Amino acid sequence: KMNKSVLAALLLMLTLSVTHAQNIKIGYINSLELLSMMPETKTADEKLQALAKDLEAQYREYIMEYQKLANQLQTDNAMSEIAREARMQDLSNLEQRITNFESSSQEKIQNKRNELYEPIISKATAVVKEVADANGYTYVLDSSNGTVIQAPESDNLLELVKKQLGI
């Protein structure tokens, strides 16, 4: 009796898991393609480009200042030893400022990118979930990173999500 109960329970669990597995519906979407179509992405890209342009202008000023000091050191033979040492220290300090500026610029751009894109990605993710739920998808894979090798076009959610976003 005990074995029959255990066997019956196992068969019931197997039947339920097979039945459950038949209800799984998998869709996919290329998130990078979706993000590139969203108007918010264009605005974020423009803001990032403006920041990068400002940082590049400041960097060029530092480089010009550095070149000017370096040229003075090379060409001014009448400069006293004390003045030359002071200029060399100025040049060394400027080199350090340029190095610090380069690393902080990259950090500023990365932080700004995260700040600008986080709400866009959150919005896209929310709409993908909404569309998936509305259309009975259990799982949605992201094909932008190559995880989907083969899938029917009918399971591509991009058009449904674009429609939901109005793009």
Side-chain angles (χ1 to χ4, degrees):
K1 258 188 173 185
M2 183 76 133
N3 287 340
K4 286 184 180 180
S5 298
V6 170
L7 184 58
L10 286 174
L11 283 174
L12 179 61
M13 287 184 349
L14 181 61
T15 304
L16 288 175
S17 65
V18 168
T19 304
H20 178 69
Q22 291 173 349
N23 294 332
I24 293 176
K25 187 173 178 184
I26 300 173
Y28 67 96
I29 190 165
N30 184 324
S31 63
L32 294 179
E33 186 177 354
L34 174 63
L35 290 173
S36 73
M37 295 175 178
M38 295 175 69
E40 298 96 325
T41 302
K42 182 180 181 198
T43 303
D45 287 344
E46 288 168 354
K47 288 179 180 177
L48 275 177
Q49 287 170 358
L51 174 62
K53 187 178 178 182
D54 289 347
L55 292 170
E56 180 64 30
Q58 181 62 48
Y59 180 75
R60 279 194 304 274
E61 284 182 32
Y62 282 145
I63 295 300
M64 287 172 39
E65 184 180 343
Y66 181 87
Q67 289 171 340
K68 180 181 171 187
L69 278 173
N71 286 339
Q72 283 178 350
L73 275 171
Q74 288 178 344
T75 58
D76 190 350
N77 295 329
M79 192 181 300
S80 72
E81 191 59 35
I82 293 173
R84 184 171 297 285
E85 285 178 11
R87 291 275 191 230
M88 288 179 74
Q89 186 60 48
D90 289 345
L91 200 59
S92 178
N93 291 341
L94 187 53
E95 273 182 45
Q96 188 59 50
R97 276 193 3 231
I98 290 171
T99 301
N100 292 343
F101 183 79
E102 287 173 335
S103 62
S104 73
S105 293
Q106 292 304 314
E107 189 177 316
K108 284 177 185 174
I109 289 172
Q110 186 59 46
N111 289 342
K112 190 67 169 178
R113 179 179 288 121
N114 292 342
E115 173 191 322
L116 292 171
Y117 279 98
E118 192 279 325
I120 299 168
I121 292 168
S122 293
K123 178 180 179 181
T125 301
V127 174
V128 168
K129 286 179 181 179
E130 192 178 300
V131 167
D133 288 344
N135 291 278
Y137 286 92
T138 313
Y139 297 96
V140 177
L141 305 175
D142 186 353
S143 65
S144 68
N145 58 17
T147 56
V148 177
I149 295 171
Q150 197 286 332
E153 186 59 35
S154 61
D155 289 336
N156 186 348
L157 302 182
L158 184 61
E159 292 304 318
L160 294 172
V161 173
K162 282 173 37 183
K163 181 179 178 185
Q164 186 74 17
L165 286 169
I167 55 175

